[in-house]
Amino acid sequence: MKNPPFNYHRPATLAEALALLAEHGDDSKVLAGGQSLLPVMALRLGRPEHIVDIGTIDDLKPISVTATGVTIGAMVRHVEAETSAVVAEHAPLVAAAMPHVGHRAIRSRGTVVGSIAHADAAAEMPAVCLATDATMHVASSTGVREVAAADFFDGFFTTILEPHELLTAVHFPSVRPTMGSSLVEISRRHGDYAMVGLACQVDAPAGVIASAALSFFGVSSKPERVTAAEEALVGRAPTPEAFAAAAAIVTEALDPSSDIHATAQYRRHIAGVLTKRGLAEATSRVGVTT
């Protein structure tokens, strides 16, 4: 199906892009990798009058390291993050998520930040942002602001971004040597959206869990952390018994819906299974045997 007609803009600078968004507001959409926007338009689920292509803006392309972590610009493609030694070192959960994102062709064009801004409840990157306490860098023609991941996602395909704003980068805090992470999911085929998935990060110094993040996707209208299960792990050794206890809490806490792919009961069960699997994998990456 062909896309509906639109006006195409290709700004050379961030300031030009923000001016276009300020001018056209609700009638505009940002084009980065296009792996989400173009199918939406082809299916007539969206009909923006103005497309603002940010693909040539150099300021949005780098992966940069700061004193607190790694920042991924809005035009960094999935494959770049997947193969980046800097991302693997400072934000291993991001690196772990990349092979699960769509197929290779999608990762070669799609962008990390674009996936986050798209806010698909079954996608990996919004859950990774929530698990790592990432910070969103949001810009408009009137200024810039930083938003915590916990405050960024509102619901299905919905964030706090205003029509005149652009998510220019996402900052992921650097992990410590005592931290381990994992991303596990269940899907019908590799590359399909997950029926249930988990982005997991654990800090386990001296063989005791000091903190844990369990961020689920595919179970709600936005990524969801189960804080009760996280808190139950604190102070415990990373053992199968501790993981099973956390899984039981997860199974009770989540309230997924049923659809043609899976029942709510099945999703709750899988969430528990993934909790045990993800915690075992994450703790194994800090040298803790379970």
Side-chain angles (χ1 to χ4, degrees), residues 40-254:
V40 165
M41 293 174 62
L43 293 170
R44 301 302 195 269
L45 298 175
R47 298 177 67 107
E49 294 183 13
H50 298 270
I51 297 298
V52 180
D53 184 350
I54 61 173
T56 59
I57 301 176
D58 291 337
D59 290 345
L60 303 179
K61 294 180 179 180
I63 297 174
S64 57
V65 179
T66 69
T68 58
V70 60
T71 300
I72 297 179
M75 279 309 302
V76 174
R77 304 193 188 279
H78 289 111
V79 68
E80 296 175 78
E82 185 177 0
T83 57
S84 168
V86 169
V87 171
E89 177 184 355
H90 293 274
L93 187 51
V94 176
M98 289 299 101
H100 295 274
V101 177
H103 301 280
R104 186 175 299 276
I106 291 173
R107 295 198 297 275
S108 71
R109 293 296 302 169
T111 62
V112 176
V113 173
S115 176
I116 294 166
H118 188 55
D120 192 316
E124 292 82 5
M125 284 311 302
V128 169
C129 290
L130 195 60
T132 57
D133 295 320
T135 300
M136 314 299 179
H137 295 186
V138 178
S140 71
S141 59
T142 59
V144 297
R145 60 179 175 138
E146 294 184 352
V147 181
D151 301 321
F152 185 75
F153 303 100
D154 265 355
F156 283 115
F157 303 107
T158 308
T159 71
I160 54 84
L161 286 175
E162 299 292 340
H164 65 283
E165 291 182 317
L166 175 65
L167 182 60
T168 58
V170 177
H171 180 76
F172 297 92
S174 291
V175 297
R176 296 181 292 277
T178 56
M179 299 175 72
S181 58
S182 65
L183 191 134
V184 290
E185 63 179 48
I186 295 292
S187 59
R188 291 189 178 275
R189 300 171 300 177
H190 178 72
D192 285 359
Y193 280 111
M195 290 183 282
V196 181
L198 168 63
C200 175
Q201 190 156 275
V202 177
D203 189 5
V208 176
I209 297 174
S211 65
L214 301 172
S215 180
F216 290 88
F217 53 102
V219 297
S220 182
S221 63
K222 58 183 180 179
E224 184 173 344
R225 281 180 65 165
V226 183
T227 55
E230 296 171 357
E231 292 168 357
L233 289 163
V234 174
R236 299 192 64 173
T239 63
E241 292 76 18
F243 301 159
I249 296 172
V250 164
T251 302
E252 290 297 321
L254 293 178

